[in-house]
């Protein structure tokens, strides 16, 4: 009948890419790239087989965003990489880690406390606190180096004092081991 509204519905044909608009209770078409949806802005499955359902926007795109991996489905979708992962692949494996994490067997693990960057749980590459020095064995960061070492301000690493030197700085020895004396920054 002309001028009359369409009949009210509670469900739409899912094969027809439609959704029920409440409270009007009419079936409306999903967004053009969407095969199934619960609203115009909430796609559940992409129409095109080459597109991936985006996790955040619930839209269909040909590629995933940064920090997401492609899940081949069905349905094809983008999924967030695991925590600490800057990049990951389809098998849920990390290929690159965020700063403060290291990569091991496809997973990202947090660096030891005080390390800004590291290559493993036992090797720190730089310290997170700029006042700290990287220990000579590269295991940890500390405000004070071990005995017979000094903190080199140029590269923020602990370095060994010269031979027979007990206490030193970048400019030379300030205290020698028993039986030696400081002579022009060295122990003789």
């Amino acid at each position: 009948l002309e001028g009359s509204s369409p009949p009210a519905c509670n469900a739409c044909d899912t094969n027809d890419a439609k959704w029920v608009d409440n409270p009007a209770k009419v079936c409306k078409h999903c967004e053009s790239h969407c095969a199934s949806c619960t609203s115009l802005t909430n796609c559940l499955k992409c129409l095109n087989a080459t597109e991936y359902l985006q996790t955040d926007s619930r839209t269909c795109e040909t590629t995933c965003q940064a920090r997401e991996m492609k899940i081949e489905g069905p349905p094809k979708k983008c999924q967030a990489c695991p925590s600490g992962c800057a990049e990951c692949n389809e098998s849920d494996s990390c290929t690159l880690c965020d700063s403060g994490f290291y990569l091991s067997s496809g997973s990202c693990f947090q660096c030891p406390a005080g390390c800004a960057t590291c290559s493993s749980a036992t090797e720190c590459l730089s310290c997170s606190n700029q006042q700290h020095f990287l220990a000579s064995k590269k295991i940890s960061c500390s405000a004070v180096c071990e005995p017979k070492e000094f903190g080199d301000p140029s590269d923020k690493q602990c370095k060994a004092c010269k031979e027979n030197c007990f206490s030193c700085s970048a400019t030379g020895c300030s205290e020698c081991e028993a039986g030696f004396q400081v002579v022009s920054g060295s122990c003789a």
Side-chain angles (χ1 to χ4, degrees), residues 18 21 23 25 30 52 59 61-62 67 71 88 94 100 116 120 122-123 126 133 136 150 161 174 176 180 182:
K18 291 183 178 179
D21 183 13
K25 296 214 182 246
C30 297
Y52 295 88
T59 59
E61 303 289 337
T62 56
R67 297 181 177 276
I71 304 297
C88 57
C94 297
S120 71
T122 58
E123 186 171 15
S126 65
F133 296 99
S136 58
F150 69 96
C161 294
S174 57
C176 297
F180 296 90
V182 176

Side-chain angles (χ1 to χ4, degrees), residues 106-179:
S107 295
C108 292
F109 298 94
Q110 195 155 16
C111 291
C115 293
T117 57
C118 62
S119 60
S120 71
T122 58
E123 186 171 15
C124 191
L125 301 175
S126 65
C127 301
S128 52
N129 184 330
Q130 293 302 310
Q131 305 304 312
H132 288 190
F133 296 99
L134 181 60
S136 58
K137 294 177 183 154
K138 295 188 176 185
I139 295 173
S140 63
C141 293
S142 175
V144 180
C145 295
E146 294 290 320
K148 299 184 180 184
E149 291 183 342
F150 69 96
D152 188 340
S154 67
D155 63 4
K156 303 303 288 177
Q157 293 191 26
C158 291
K159 295 187 177 168
C161 294
K162 293 179 182 178
E163 189 176 357
N164 301 318
C165 186
F166 184 76
S167 180
C168 64
S169 67
T171 58
C173 190
S174 57
E175 184 182 349
C176 297
E177 293 177 353

Side-chain angles (χ1 to χ4, degrees), residues 26-167:
V26 293
C27 290
K28 292 191 173 182
H29 285 281
C30 297
E31 186 264 328
S32 64
H33 293 266
C34 193
S36 174
C37 65
T38 58
S39 72
L40 185 61
T41 58
N42 191 27
C43 187
L44 301 175
K45 183 180 175 186
C46 297
L47 186 61
N48 189 328
T50 61
E51 292 183 325
Y52 295 88
L53 182 61
Q54 302 295 305
T55 307
D56 294 336
S57 65
R58 305 303 295 176
T59 59
C60 298
E61 303 289 337
T62 56
T63 187
C64 293
Q65 304 297 316
R67 297 181 177 276
E68 289 185 332
M69 63 184 141
K70 294 177 181 177
I71 304 297
E72 294 302 326
K76 289 176 96 169
K77 63 181 178 178
C78 297
Q79 182 174 312
C81 293
S83 178
C85 244
E87 292 178 10
C88 57
N89 61 26
E90 296 84 15
S91 62
D92 205 19
S93 291
C94 297
T95 55
L96 182 68
C97 297
D98 290 330
S99 182
F101 290 81
Y102 66 93
L103 184 64
S104 178
S105 301
S107 295
C108 292
F109 298 94
Q110 195 155 16
C111 291
C115 293
T117 57
C118 62
S119 60
S120 71
T122 58
E123 186 171 15
C124 191
L125 301 175
S126 65
C127 301
S128 52
N129 184 330
Q130 293 302 310
Q131 305 304 312
H132 288 190
F133 296 99
L134 181 60
S136 58
K137 294 177 183 154
K138 295 188 176 185
I139 295 173
S140 63
C141 293
S142 175
V144 180
C145 295
E146 294 290 320
K148 299 184 180 184
E149 291 183 342
F150 69 96
D152 188 340
S154 67
D155 63 4
K156 303 303 288 177
Q157 293 191 26
C158 291
K159 295 187 177 168
C161 294
K162 293 179 182 178
E163 189 176 357
N164 301 318
C165 186
F166 184 76
S167 180

Side-chain angles (χ1 to χ4, degrees), residues 13-24:
D13 184 357
T14 55
N15 293 328
D16 207 12
K18 291 183 178 179
W19 57 282
V20 177
D21 183 13
N22 286 315

